[in-house]
Amino acid sequence: MVTETTDLPVSYADVVSAAQVLRGIAVPTPLLENRALNERAGGRLFFKAEPLQVTGSFKFRGAYNHISRLDPQARRAGVIAYSSGNHAQGVAAAAHYCGVSALNVMPEDAPAVKKQGTAAWGARIVTYDRYGAEPREAIAERLCQEQDLSLVRPYDDRLIMAGQGTIGLEIMQQLGALELEPDRVLVPCGGGGLTAGVATAVKHHRPETAVYTVEPQGFDDTARSFAAGQRQNAAPDAESFCDALLAPEPGLLTYQVNSKLCSGGLAVSDGEVAAAMAAAFSHLKLVLEPGGAVALAAALAGRLDLSTGITVIVLSGGNVDPILYAEILRGT
Amino acid sequence: MVTETTDLPVSYADVVSAAQVLRGIAVPTPLLENRALNERAGGRLFFKAEPLQVTGSFKFRGAYNHISRLDPQARRAGVIAYSSGNHAQGVAAAAHYCGVSALNVMPEDAPAVKKQGTAAWGARIVTYDRYGAEPREAIAERLCQEQDLSLVRPYDDRLIMAGQGTIGLEIMQQLGALELEPDRVLVPCGGGGLTAGVATAVKHHRPETAVYTVEPQGFDDTARSFAAGQRQNAAPDAESFCDALLAPEPGLLTYQVNSKLCSGGLAVSDGEVAAAMAAAFSHLKLVLEPGGAVALAAALAGRLDLSTGITVIVLSGGNVDPILYAEILRGT
């Protein structure tokens, strides 16, 4: 039984095409196993290490898949993106490699490391007040019109979802080389683009694999949406230090994909995320940002029974302020 | 012109044989490139990420290559090793996979993370006073006799050097896949086993590639030996926080290899190492221990002109105390 995804806003063929575009450009990140973390989680885990990706997060994959396909006129005019920081860096790097100028709309309180990372690729930055009257989408749309730029959406876009989906392809290939298959895949979820891409790739190869979203508590709008059967908002007063995963609601397109392909949504506390970041330091020797650690946090906190079969944990990014990270290490 | 290494205590054939033994057991660690670090170093750098190896350092490669070849009688009796910590963990893990018991002689002041890592693999630990009357080699030899154990030396051993050399093979394969070749390779150096193995593999494929050792200042006995033309000791009053690289003199066998194959020896200060650890955090998202960061430190401190060609930096390990690491992050 193959899950039919051709009626969805991203297809397996889109993911395969993205993998061809990204060959030799994106890092085929390693899939790591660690005995101590297996013991802590009570099952066999594999970790997809996207902090090692260009720009330190998975976002480069989708951004390059989108920008590299723009026509010559659009390339000359340049691109614009809105992002809490990782998509901004992905767009900035992809634009750099494609010889395209990039403008990024970022929240004023985005981590300095993400603003610096974006600027280092030669992109311009416009900041906005995360709690202000004009939403970032509106600011970006306005600038888009004024300057005739192409908007590169962070998740609600076929090429973006397909690019992120190359992670799912690599997971299947890397496990396949070990003659293994995943029983479940846990994916950090903000707007849902990463989940949509990964689920599209994984479920094509193995429909019985369960894909779960993992979100910060309060920002578990995707989990609530799954439960309600329609798109729900995050809690209005929610707070989390997972700055990459603060999207207020699931994307329109991503929700179409994820509501069909996912088995459920999990949520973790900031404390559980901090513990996961410390565990990744000690055992995987990887730097994770809070949003990049939520799936590991769900595994270590026992949100699912992982005692049977193979579990894949997507570690989605590592762009974290060193002082915050030092505080987490000192707290353990 | 191929450098003839058949008269040396480790050969290219030994390294190829080690790679066959390690296939599917050791992690073929990624070779990473980073634009920001290229800019800081003023040339094109590739990083061999051994913190992602089993046990968090390269030492597992040599230990498994040695222990897996022991005859049944030796396996039943068990192995013994002396080590500041990374070799101990490598031996403990390799012994675990081979179903062999392991006893490790470690300094009392070894990092807690390394003692815990060794014990977690089921190995027994005997500690000794680093500044005491009986050298660790003598303690290990005595226990070896008393308990009929096989001694797994940390570097002065053909199978250990050959195992570490698989890093050199992977470097050539991974650069080759990008249609590149290394002009120089910088290798962290304690007793010299890693350097000997890497140089054996790299110089076989490309004799004109320059291989450099990198040591902590004061513990630059290999660099001094190269300069003097014979083995020299480290400075008697030397201190460094690079706990993995405090060997007092080059190995007998490793020096035979390295004095023939290396182009020179570099040394770095603890401050330069700390800066390299912070740079690896920010740009590579990798946790490096001090000894694992010396080659990166040499590159960032400008010890060599790296402006032309391809430079490979071996990042040899990531077993570092979280509190020390937090202090380094807060200091930047």
Side-chain angles (χ1 to χ4, degrees):
Chain A
M1 272 255 304
V2 171
T3 305
E4 271 303 327
T5 59
T6 46
D7 56 332
L8 292 175
V10 61
S11 71
Y12 181 70
D14 293 330
V15 179
V16 171
S17 175
Q20 288 162 350
V21 164
L22 290 171
R23 188 162 299 144
I25 303 285
V27 176
T29 54
L31 189 71
L32 303 167
E33 187 178 13
N34 183 272
R35 181 168 164 270
L37 292 178
N38 281 351
E39 287 184 355
R40 278 184 59 174
R44 192 164 184 193
L45 310 182
F46 287 88
F47 301 97
K48 187 65 174 160
E50 284 295 296
L52 304 180
Q53 189 51 266
V54 180
T55 72
S57 93
F58 72 96
K59 289 283 194 178
F60 175 70
R61 296 177 184 254
Y64 188 87
N65 189 45
H66 183 112
I67 294 171
S68 67
R69 294 174 195 258
L70 290 174
D71 64 34
Q73 191 182 338
R75 284 174 174 244
R76 276 193 300 275
V79 297
I80 185 169
Y82 50 88
S83 161
S84 62
N86 280 336
H87 180 59
Q89 288 179 84
V91 166
H96 168 85
Y97 284 123
C98 296
V100 171
S101 72
L103 175 62
N104 276 287
V105 180
M106 298 178 74
E108 277 166 7
D109 61 354
V113 65
K114 293 186 176 178
K115 289 192 222 171
Q116 290 159 5
T118 305
W121 288 99
R124 290 173 296 146
I125 296 173
V126 173
T127 58
Y128 72 97
D129 178 0
R130 199 193 284 270
Y131 310 100
E134 192 178 14
R136 63 182 189 173
E137 293 83 350
I139 298 170
E141 296 276 6
R142 178 167 51 74
L143 290 166
C144 198
Q145 297 297 328
E146 287 172 9
Q147 301 185 29
D148 197 27
L149 305 172
S150 291
L151 177 62
V152 186
R153 290 189 169 80
Y155 42 85
D156 249 352
D157 177 279
R158 181 174 61 89
L159 296 171
I160 296 292
M161 292 186 280
Q164 327 304 30
T166 58
I167 291 171
L169 276 191
E170 290 175 15
I171 289 169
M172 298 309 294
Q173 290 161 355
Q174 290 167 318
L175 280 182
L178 304 172
E179 298 181 4
L180 297 174
E181 291 186 313
D183 292 281
R184 61 196 76 81
V185 182
L186 276 58
V187 190
C189 185
L194 175 60
T195 308
V198 168
T200 298
V202 168
K203 303 283 282 192
H204 174 88
H205 282 277
R206 193 167 186 276
E208 58 271 44
T209 298
V211 177
Y212 295 89
T213 56
V214 187
E215 297 167 292
Q217 283 175 0
F219 290 92
D220 54 345
D221 43 283
T222 295
R224 296 176 193 208
S225 301
F226 289 159
Q230 59 182 346
R231 290 201 298 158
Q232 303 288 310
N233 285 337
D237 57 347
E239 289 187 13
S240 167
F241 79 148
C242 299
D243 59 278
L245 303 181
L246 306 186
E249 61 178 351
L252 193 62
L253 303 182
T254 57
Y255 184 68
Q256 286 179 41
V257 179
N258 294 335
S259 59
K260 180 153 184 184
L261 299 184
C262 290
S263 296
L266 312 173
V268 289
S269 71
D270 281 4
E272 290 166 337
V273 172
M277 291 168 70
F281 173 94
S282 292
H283 299 296
L284 298 175
K285 315 303 176 189
L286 284 176
V287 176
L288 299 186
E289 63 181 282
V294 292
L296 174 58
L300 295 181
R303 285 293 183 284
L304 289 176
D305 177 8
L306 309 180
S307 62
T308 59
I310 304 288
T311 303
V312 176
I313 307 283
V314 178
L315 306 173
S316 54
N319 294 312
V320 55
D321 175 56
I323 300 300
L324 167 65
Y325 200 83
E327 285 169 9
I328 287 170
L329 292 177
R330 293 174 65 88
T332 60
Chain B
M1 270 254 307
V2 172
T3 305
E4 272 303 327
T5 59
T6 46
D7 56 332
L8 293 174
V10 61
S11 72
Y12 180 71
D14 293 329
V15 179
V16 171
S17 174
Q20 287 162 350
V21 164
L22 290 171
R23 187 163 300 143
I25 303 285
V27 175
T29 54
L31 189 71
L32 304 167
E33 187 177 14
N34 182 272
R35 180 166 164 267
L37 291 178
N38 282 351
E39 287 184 354
R40 277 184 58 173
R44 191 165 185 192
L45 310 182
F46 287 87
F47 301 97
K48 186 65 172 161
E50 284 295 294
L52 304 180
Q53 189 52 263
V54 179
T55 72
S57 91
F58 71 97
K59 290 282 194 178
F60 175 70
R61 296 177 184 254
Y64 188 87
N65 189 45
H66 183 112
I67 294 170
S68 67
R69 294 175 195 257
L70 290 174
D71 63 35
Q73 190 182 341
R75 283 174 175 244
R76 277 193 299 276
V79 297
I80 183 169
Y82 50 86
S83 161
S84 62
N86 281 336
H87 180 59
Q89 289 179 85
V91 166
H96 168 86
Y97 284 123
C98 295
V100 171
S101 72
L103 175 63
N104 275 287
V105 181
M106 298 178 73
E108 277 165 6
D109 61 353
V113 65
K114 293 186 176 178
K115 288 191 223 171
Q116 290 159 5
T118 304
W121 289 99
R124 289 173 297 147
I125 296 173
V126 173
T127 58
Y128 73 97
D129 178 1
R130 199 194 284 272
Y131 310 98
E134 191 178 14
R136 63 182 189 174
E137 292 84 350
I139 298 169
E141 296 275 9
R142 179 166 52 74
L143 290 166
C144 198
Q145 297 296 328
E146 286 172 9
Q147 303 184 28
D148 197 29
L149 305 172
S150 291
L151 177 62
V152 186
R153 290 190 170 78
Y155 42 83
D156 249 352
D157 177 279
R158 181 173 61 90
L159 295 172
I160 296 292
M161 291 186 280
Q164 327 303 31
T166 58
I167 291 171
L169 274 192
E170 289 176 14
I171 289 169
M172 298 309 294
Q173 290 161 353
Q174 290 167 317
L175 280 182
L178 303 172
E179 299 181 4
L180 297 174
E181 293 186 312
D183 292 282
R184 61 197 77 80
V185 182
L186 276 58
V187 190
C189 185
L194 175 60
T195 308
V198 168
T200 298
V202 168
K203 304 283 285 192
H204 174 88
H205 281 278
R206 192 168 186 275
E208 58 270 44
T209 298
V211 177
Y212 295 90
T213 57
V214 187
E215 297 167 292
Q217 283 174 1
F219 290 91
D220 53 345
D221 43 284
T222 296
R224 295 176 195 208
S225 302
F226 289 159
Q230 58 182 344
R231 289 201 298 158
Q232 303 287 310
N233 286 337
D237 57 348
E239 290 186 11
S240 167
F241 79 148
C242 298
D243 60 277
L245 303 180
L246 306 186
E249 61 179 349
L252 193 62
L253 303 183
T254 57
Y255 184 69
Q256 285 179 41
V257 178
N258 294 335
S259 60
K260 180 154 182 183
L261 299 184
C262 291
S263 296
L266 313 173
V268 290
S269 70
D270 280 4
E272 289 166 338
V273 171
M277 291 168 71
F281 173 93
S282 293
H283 299 297
L284 298 175
K285 314 302 177 189
L286 284 175
V287 176
L288 300 186
E289 63 181 281
V294 293
L296 175 57
L300 296 181
R303 285 292 183 284
L304 288 176
D305 177 8
L306 309 180
S307 62
T308 58
I310 304 289
T311 303
V312 175
I313 307 284
V314 178
L315 306 173
S316 53
N319 294 312
V320 56
D321 176 55
I323 300 300
L324 168 65
Y325 201 81
E327 285 168 8
I328 287 170
L329 291 178
R330 292 174 65 87
T332 59

